[in-house]
Amino acid sequence: GENVEQHPSTLSVQEGDSAVIKCTYSDSASNYFPWYKQELGKGPQLIIDIRSNVGEKKDQRIAVTLNKTAKHFSLHITETQPEDSAVYFCAATLTSGTYKYIFGTGTRLKVLA
Amino acid sequence: EAGVTQFPSHSVIEKGQTVTLRCDPISGHDNLYWYRRVMGKEIKFLLHFVKESKQDESGMPNNRFLAERTGGTYSTLKVQPAELEDSGVYFCASSQEWGGAFFGQGTRLTVV
């Protein structure tokens, strides 16, 4: 069945350094890839997304890259800050007017001050 | 604009009891989804409503789970009777056709 693998499961970086989280999806028909940030006690918050007709998208300190051939997509956070500490989830889906997401298992990011 | 809201935020019930979770989507969002995260694993899809109709309920674990969305506004997810393995965090999300899904804060269900 459809599957999304996410690595690493935990990631610790020094404040100011960059963080990279990688995901691989199995369904080549997937065409929409959102990233969610979940802070303690809160629900997942959409932080950036990318569609399959785009290779890279950037929003201030965060960027997402997509390699359709390899079925890989990655989240890049630059100049990390303590408030970036959270659990990050990648997801993949088909955008046929619905968003049934297949989620990765999550990455717990710790930014050390 | 209010986001997706879920009630209650926490629920502790005994095995065999019934629990009903509620979700109020963002106003104007026809698509409403239920997801569940069990024991720190990935967030898994349960079902999808378009307005009041069930579009996809392929993720519902078994017939102890019943979701409704009368009138196409808020939705409820009832678990009856609850089992220990039903413990987890239940998320609701809503979306318009052209945008990403917005999640609520979740309901943490503990079955003891």
Side-chain angles (χ1 to χ4, degrees), chain B residues 48-76:
Chain B
H48 168 215
F49 284 99
V50 177
K51 297 184 179 178
E52 68 274 13
S53 299
K54 290 178 184 175
Q55 184 78 4
D56 181 349
E57 51 185 330
S58 60
M60 294 288 264
N62 50 61
N63 59 10
R64 294 186 294 103
F65 289 75
L66 175 64
E68 295 180 324
R69 192 182 182 196
T70 306
T73 54
Y74 71 91
S75 174
T76 58

Side-chain angles (χ1 to χ4, degrees), chain A residues 11 13-21 35-37 47-48 57-65 74-89 107-111:
Chain A
L11 178 61
V13 299
Q14 289 293 134
E15 182 178 0
D17 288 349
S18 296
V20 180
I21 302 170
W35 283 89
Y36 284 84
K37 174 184 180 182
I47 56 172
I48 195 166
K57 183 177 178 180
K58 189 174 182 180
D59 182 4
Q60 299 183 333
R61 295 186 299 107
I62 59 173
V64 57
T65 59
S74 299
L75 177 71
H76 304 253
I77 307 174
T78 59
E79 300 173 19
T80 54
Q81 301 168 4
E83 53 264 37
D84 295 328
S85 296
V87 179
Y88 291 80
F89 293 96
T107 296
R108 182 174 298 279
L109 173 65
K110 293 183 182 179
V111 180

Side-chain angles (χ1 to χ4, degrees), chain A:
Chain A
E2 301 162 354
N3 174 256
V4 174
E5 293 187 359
Q6 182 172 347
H7 300 282
S9 57
T10 60
L11 178 61
S12 293
V13 299
Q14 289 293 134
E15 182 178 0
D17 288 349
S18 296
V20 180
I21 302 170
K22 298 182 179 181
C23 289
T24 303
Y25 59 99
S26 61
D27 186 353
S28 57
S30 297
N31 61 358
Y32 176 70
F33 308 91
W35 283 89
Y36 284 84
K37 174 184 180 182
Q38 187 178 13
E39 297 174 287
L40 196 61
K42 298 183 179 180
Q45 177 190 5
L46 178 65
I47 56 172
I48 195 166
D49 57 13
I50 191 167
R51 297 181 186 271
S52 59
N53 59 348
V54 175
E56 183 174 358
K57 183 177 178 180
K58 189 174 182 180
D59 182 4
Q60 299 183 333
R61 295 186 299 107
I62 59 173
V64 57
T65 59
L66 172 65
N67 182 330
K68 285 194 300 181
T69 303
K71 293 189 283 187
H72 289 171
F73 59 113
S74 299
L75 177 71
H76 304 253
I77 307 174
T78 59
E79 300 173 19
T80 54
Q81 301 168 4
E83 53 264 37
D84 295 328
S85 296
V87 179
Y88 291 80
F89 293 96
C90 63
T93 190
L94 297 172
T95 55
S96 56
T98 68
Y99 290 87
K100 174 184 176 180
Y101 294 156
I102 306 299
F103 279 92
T105 49
T107 296
R108 182 174 298 279
L109 173 65
K110 293 183 182 179
V111 180
L112 307 172

